Amino acid sequence: MTRDVYSLCFMCTIRCPIKVTVENDEVLWIEGNPHVPGIEGALCAKGSAGVALLQDHERLRHPMIRTGPRGSGQWRRASWDEALDFVADRLRGIIERHGAHSILWGERTNLNTHISKAFMKGIGSPNHFTHDALCKGSVNTAFRSLTGYDDTQVGVDYANTKHIVMYGRNLFEALEIKAINNLLSAMGKGAKLTYIDPRVTVTASKATRYWMIRPGTDLALNYALMHVILEEGLFDAEFVRRWVLGLEELRAFVEPFTPARAEEETGIPAAEITALARELAEDKPAVAFHYGYRGAHHTNEVYLRRSIIMLNALMGSIETPGGLFFKKGMKTAGYGELGKYAAQEFPKIAGPRFDGSGSTRFPIADPAHGNPQALAQAILSEQPYPIKALIANRFEPLQSIPDASATREALDKLDLLVSIDINMNEFAWCADVVLPESMYLERGDSIQAVSGLKPQLCIRQQAVTPRHDTKPGWLIVKQLADRLGAGKYLPFETIEDIWNFQLQGTGLTVEELQARGFISLTEKPIFWDRANGLPFKTPSGKIEFVSSLLENAGFPSFPAYARVEPLSEGSFRLLVGRCAVHTHGSTQNNPYLNELVSENELWINSSAAARLGITDGCPVEVSSSRGAATIRAKVTEFIHPEAVFMLHGFGNTVPVQTRACMKGASDALLQENVSDFAGGSPALDETQVRVKRLD
Ligand SMILES: Nc1nc2c(c(=O)[nH]1)N[C@H]1C(S)=C(S)[C@@H](COP(=O)(O)OP(=O)(O)OC[C@H]3O[C@@H](n4cnc5c(=O)[nH]c(N)nc54)[C@H](O)[C@@H]3O)O[C@H]1N2
Ligand SMILES: Nc1nc2c(c(=O)[nH]1)N[C@H]1C(S)=C(S)[C@@H](COP(=O)(O)OP(=O)(O)OC[C@H]3O[C@@H](n4cnc5c(=O)[nH]c(N)nc54)[C@H](O)[C@@H]3O)O[C@H]1N2
Ligand code: SF4
Ligand SMILES: [Mo]
């Protein structure tokens, strides 16, 4: 007999609701949860490949303790008790000798992050960090500097937009199913999409207007758009009068940024820039400038992201259908909040974070997430103190932090490296202990509160029993906490205990959630009432074009415009990104997905390739100040002549990942570790590289 289990996909971080059909403890079929609006059964290729991950014998299958030198591949199989005792004994020794702050926990934010944060608070370390700064830290800071809310509290109303502008937000490949479905339905009703990218992506191919911008010059484009909007009075005067602080300062600042000047910087004709400003004004306020995740990741990124959000404010397209909205949570919908283990009382932790997040190095970055790009430097310099151990949970520092050689050198100095993962990733391969997590179809996780215009709750439920000797992450953390005397902060034995704790005081039950995998908490979308007041959380209560967050920390609100570092003779700017069938560095070894895209290529413009004697498909060496790699060239007209591009996440060197090993090149090996210190993100597209033909 078959049964349907409603759950959440985890082939990428978007966590689409799914329906899993199971028979005799085997997964027969996975599809999008048909009950969830916007999903309606849809799944992407990665989501479908979940079955291949479940059956994959190359994923981690049991705990392991290293027996040979780091990275030698010499391991012994261990029981869970032995592996957990080993880790706990080492951690205890480190705490006694060096203090708990010398232990770091790095993880990709996930549904159980409130549990791992509680673990770190329970053992007395301030050093829990997430991937967030590597992904969208500068977007986070830009939003906080303007509205007092962070980026996770803001969304785009794709379904009702009349015109959306995206700056390297390659939505149709770096995908989110619900957003794509909603945008396609809006486009079916006539909505326009303007897409700006030095590279012709799938999103570009679907756009109404596409501009091949010179890399790193989007800020000049936006200042020119603002110039036209202000000069021609195209903005929403009432919204701006009521809600914006600093219009006159902006007006004075953008006055010299004419479209003609932007044309020189960006290569986009001045007349087209003016035309876009006018077109958007006609459709306002149902227009959206997408603030992006990544894209132009340069050292001035926070100012680019601010300029995008400011354009929305000028158009009045904030908290209105078709524009940006602030996400509403359970409380707004009339329910209590989900319980979080990290929100308990813990003994006070003295001393700074290891990464200078929210203080010395990154004064206004969000310390709730930290700044992982500081890892190598903090370890090697022993400042502000020596670090001794790193536990990486669903996090791959050697692929996701620029300058992998420096990270590798630094990690080797630590006394203890622990990987909690489902795959033998680069970090796990050089770790001391590997603790394998059950994959998402084999486990339940903490309940997810999905805030938005229509807040929901979603649940990941176990569909089948674990195929191997693995455990859910929440149980691994709990059993480590028990061994270190911090178990009292995690008083649960089963996933049901966690769910019941989370739902206490909400008025909702686990059974309601389990029935269809989600609960919608409102019928209608909730917008704040623009007439009666928008509750911005800045000191002025307004959208701060002149920002107290920036200026109090010594950063100007409107710094003089400077070009990104000019290219040195014969160099290209290295741009990186994603494709539709892989998730960062974690799916390259999946049997199905590997078959679809097995290695990355270096996109290079035809004219540049001809100059260098490079032909399509030939091997090239690409080199930067940090390293060199071999990769095949993809010669194309579809990229700006000053740029080259490669997919992120390839160049795996772990022999037991046989399908992915030695395929393509790793961007992290080539990238320089430079940051936008105001915003908090590493500037992933700043690095210059040289390219030469190899054969
Ligand atoms: N399939 C898939 N989907 C995903 C993910 C995944 O791994 N796989 N990951 C998810 C995550 S965590 C994230 S952060 C998002 C990322 O979502 P996006 O930021 O939309 O995705 P990227 O692929 O990083 O695309 C970056 C684009 O920016 C362009 N770019 C580079 N420099 C410039 C510039 O100077 N100006 C402009 N305008 N563009 C520039 C690049 O050419 C590239 O096409 O995707 C999410 N969705
Ligand atoms: N060089 C470079 N660096 C980047 C980027 C880039 O484009 N280039 N992109 C940045 C962005 S946008 C992001 S979001 C980050 C992503 O950085 P990461 O979060 O480090 O990357 P992922 O590959 O998504 O996942 C990391 C690990 O999670 C494991 N994993 C997957 N599912 C599970 C699970 O259920 N449980 C456990 N325990 N582990 C699991 C995978 O096997 C993988 O080893 O990288 C950032 N850093
Ligand atoms: S976008 Fe695809 S891989 Fe990501 S959660 Fe949704 S179905 Fe899964
Ligand atoms: Mo990301």
Side-chain angles (χ1 to χ4, degrees):
M1 247 238 318
T2 63
R3 63 192 175 97
D4 291 334
V5 182
Y6 292 101
S7 190
L8 291 171
C9 180
F10 204 39
M11 289 299 286
C12 88
T13 209
I14 307 291
R15 293 188 281 265
C16 295
I18 51 174
K19 184 174 91 173
V20 187
T21 307
V22 177
E23 187 176 44
N24 295 333
D25 203 27
E26 292 291 341
V27 173
L28 295 187
W29 182 250
I30 309 176
E31 64 183 36
N33 185 336
H35 302 298
V36 177
I39 293 286
E40 281 117 16
L43 203 62
C44 80
K46 294 169 288 152
S48 308
V51 186
L53 173 62
L54 177 69
Q55 294 162 349
D56 186 1
H57 274 257
E58 291 195 1
R59 73 177 157 111
L60 294 172
R61 288 181 290 162
H62 44 73
M64 289 191 290
I65 298 176
R66 185 171 55 78
T67 53
R70 277 188 178 150
S72 64
Q74 291 164 273
W75 301 95
R76 68 182 167 85
R77 181 174 178 165
S79 70
W80 273 100
D81 273 341
E82 198 186 358
L84 290 167
D85 284 346
F86 183 98
V87 174
D89 287 348
R90 297 290 171 98
L91 289 176
R92 207 175 299 111
I94 289 171
I95 294 170
E96 276 161 18
R97 283 194 303 280
H98 307 280
H101 55 263
S102 62
I103 298 170
L104 313 185
W105 184 292
E107 84 183 11
R108 181 84 188 274
T109 316
N110 62 73
L111 295 176
N112 301 319
T113 294
H114 69 117
I115 292 175
S116 53
K117 281 194 167 174
F119 170 82
M120 288 298 273
K121 288 181 177 181
I123 66 166
S125 172
N127 289 324
H128 185 286
F129 64 89
T130 77
H131 79 294
D132 196 79
L134 304 174
C135 171
K136 54 197 175 54
S138 296
V139 185
N140 174 327
T141 306
F143 267 112
R144 282 184 294 120
S145 77
L146 283 156
T147 67
Y149 293 89
D150 71 34
D151 61 301
T152 62
Q153 296 164 300
V154 185
V156 176
D157 184 16
Y158 295 99
N160 296 300
T161 196
K162 291 189 183 157
H163 194 151
I164 184 163
V165 183
M166 303 214 261
Y167 304 79
R169 175 65 189 101
N170 185 14
L171 185 68
F172 289 91
E173 288 178 277
L175 50 83
E176 284 173 50
I177 290 183
K178 220 190 233 183
I180 290 180
N181 283 346
N182 285 336
L183 180 57
L184 285 175
S185 105
M187 289 174 78
K189 288 184 268 171
K192 291 179 216 134
L193 163 61
T194 292
Y195 185 72
I196 302 156
D197 194 315
R199 185 172 72 95
V200 184
T201 61
V202 171
T203 310
S205 73
K206 297 201 183 301
T208 327
R209 173 193 280 107
Y210 165 65
W211 285 337
M212 185 181 279
I213 194 167
R214 171 173 295 131
T217 61
D218 304 62
L219 192 53
L221 167 66
N222 281 356
Y223 288 155
L225 285 170
M226 289 170 172
H227 173 102
V228 177
I229 289 167
L230 292 173
E231 192 177 72
E232 299 189 6
L234 301 174
F235 56 99
D236 181 334
E238 179 51 25
F239 183 86
V240 168
R241 186 192 59 74
R242 188 130 186 229
W243 296 116
V244 165
L245 182 76
L247 182 74
E248 290 318 312
E249 286 84 348
L250 176 72
R251 193 192 291 280
F253 178 71
V254 297
E255 210 272 326
F257 285 94
T258 58
R261 182 164 168 203
E263 177 173 341
E264 276 173 38
E265 294 289 311
T266 62
I268 302 166
E272 289 191 33
I273 297 174
T274 305
L276 175 64
R278 290 178 186 158
E279 219 176 89
L280 285 157
E282 272 176 32
D283 284 330
K284 74 173 185 295
V287 297
F289 296 83
H290 197 296
Y291 39 86
Y293 280 98
R294 321 189 32 263
H297 253 181
H298 292 278
T299 50
N300 62 359
E301 169 137 337
V302 75
Y303 294 106
L304 169 63
R305 301 304 169 190
R306 274 174 57 81
S307 73
I308 296 174
I309 304 161
M310 280 151 71
L311 279 162
N312 285 291
L314 290 175
M315 289 291 146
S317 60
I318 288 186
E319 207 54 22
T320 185
L324 304 194
F325 60 83
F326 289 86
K327 292 183 181 169
K328 314 303 179 306
M330 297 177 70
K331 226 168 156 184
T332 322
Y335 296 84
E337 305 267 21
L338 287 184
K340 286 186 182 140
Y341 290 107
Q344 302 165 73
E345 283 288 318
F346 292 90
K348 204 161 169 46
I349 298 173
R353 291 183 57 93
F354 80 101
D355 50 11
S357 186
S359 58
T360 45
R361 289 193 76 201
F362 299 93
I364 53 173
D366 191 342
H369 294 294
N371 290 87
Q373 71 267 42
L375 183 69
Q377 209 235 359
I379 295 173
L380 294 170
S381 68
E382 304 202 340
Q383 293 298 325
Y385 39 68
I387 295 166
K388 297 294 169 188
L390 170 64
I391 302 162
N393 176 30
R394 194 200 163 210
F395 179 59
E396 166 50 300
L398 289 165
Q399 285 274 17
S400 64
I401 300 176
D403 194 357
S405 306
T407 309
R408 206 175 271 283
E409 182 194 336
L411 290 177
D412 210 32
K413 295 232 167 339
L414 299 189
D415 294 349
L416 181 68
L417 302 175
V418 180
S419 171
I420 305 175
D421 211 284
I422 55 166
N423 288 312
M424 183 62 95
N425 65 21
E426 302 278 321
F427 174 78
W429 189 243
C430 69
D432 305 314
V433 184
V434 171
L435 303 175
E437 181 163 21
S438 306
M439 58 84 76
Y440 67 98
L441 296 166
E442 301 169 323
R443 67 176 201 248
D445 277 326
S446 298
I447 295 167
Q448 179 183 23
V450 188
S451 36
L453 281 175
K454 286 181 167 185
Q456 296 174 345
L457 283 192
C458 289
I459 193 165
R460 174 171 297 131
Q461 310 190 66
Q462 182 177 355
V464 291
T465 53
R467 310 286 97 159
H468 307 289
D469 187 17
T470 58
K471 283 182 196 265
W474 50 264
L475 191 55
I476 300 174
V477 180
K478 157 77 175 161
Q479 293 183 344
L480 270 180
D482 283 344
R483 285 167 165 78
L484 291 167
K488 60 176 180 283
Y489 298 110
L490 301 175
F492 55 76
E493 299 296 329
T494 64
I495 191 65
E496 287 76 17
D497 295 342
I498 297 176
W499 291 340
N500 287 323
F501 163 78
Q502 286 186 284
L503 288 179
Q504 246 170 49
T506 61
L508 298 161
T509 64
V510 175
E511 292 71 32
E512 281 171 86
L513 245 178
Q514 285 180 309
R516 294 198 308 165
F518 87 113
I519 303 178
S520 191
L521 302 178
T522 59
E523 287 290 313
K524 289 207 177 107
I526 311 173
F527 283 100
W528 287 330
D529 181 353
R530 278 181 30 153
N532 285 326
L534 296 175
F536 295 119
K537 289 206 287 196
T538 48
S540 62
K542 295 195 169 189
I543 300 177
E544 294 193 349
F545 286 10
V546 173
S547 160
S548 43
L549 182 73
L550 286 172
E551 302 208 348
N552 291 343
F555 296 109
S557 297
F558 303 110
Y561 176 78
R563 275 195 174 185
V564 289
E565 178 83 11
L567 283 174
S568 55
E569 181 73 24
S571 294
F572 300 87
R573 212 166 286 288
L574 175 65
L575 313 185
V576 300
R578 281 136 258 291
C579 67
V581 304
H582 283 297
T583 296
H584 305 283
S586 55
T587 53
Q588 279 71 8
N589 202 53
N590 180 292
Y592 291 1
L593 301 174
N594 183 273
E595 209 173 301
L596 292 173
V597 177
S598 60
E599 66 180 82
N600 59 354
E601 301 169 303
L602 189 77
W603 292 39
I604 182 165
N605 182 276
S606 317
S607 58
R611 215 169 49 236
L612 295 167
I614 292 169
T615 48
D616 195 39
C618 81
V620 293
E621 183 192 77
V622 49
S623 58
S624 71
S625 67
R626 308 313 311 145
T630 302
I631 183 169
R632 272 180 207 290
K634 173 185 164 100
V635 176
T636 170
E637 291 293 325
F638 288 168
I639 185 161
H640 194 282
E642 292 177 13
V644 290
F645 170 87
M646 65 167 73
L647 290 174
H648 164 57
F650 287 81
N652 179 321
T653 62
V654 178
V656 295
Q657 298 245 302
T658 59
R659 305 168 205 113
C661 185
M662 306 313 277
K663 300 274 175 63
S666 158
D667 59 344
L669 208 58
L670 297 164
Q671 286 160 331
E672 291 159 8
N673 191 352
V674 286
S675 279
D676 164 13
F677 286 102
S681 287
L684 290 177
D685 296 320
E686 188 92 4
T687 302
Q688 301 190 17
V689 291
R690 291 176 172 274
V691 185
K692 81 171 184 234
R693 188 181 171 116
L694 271 185
D695 56 2

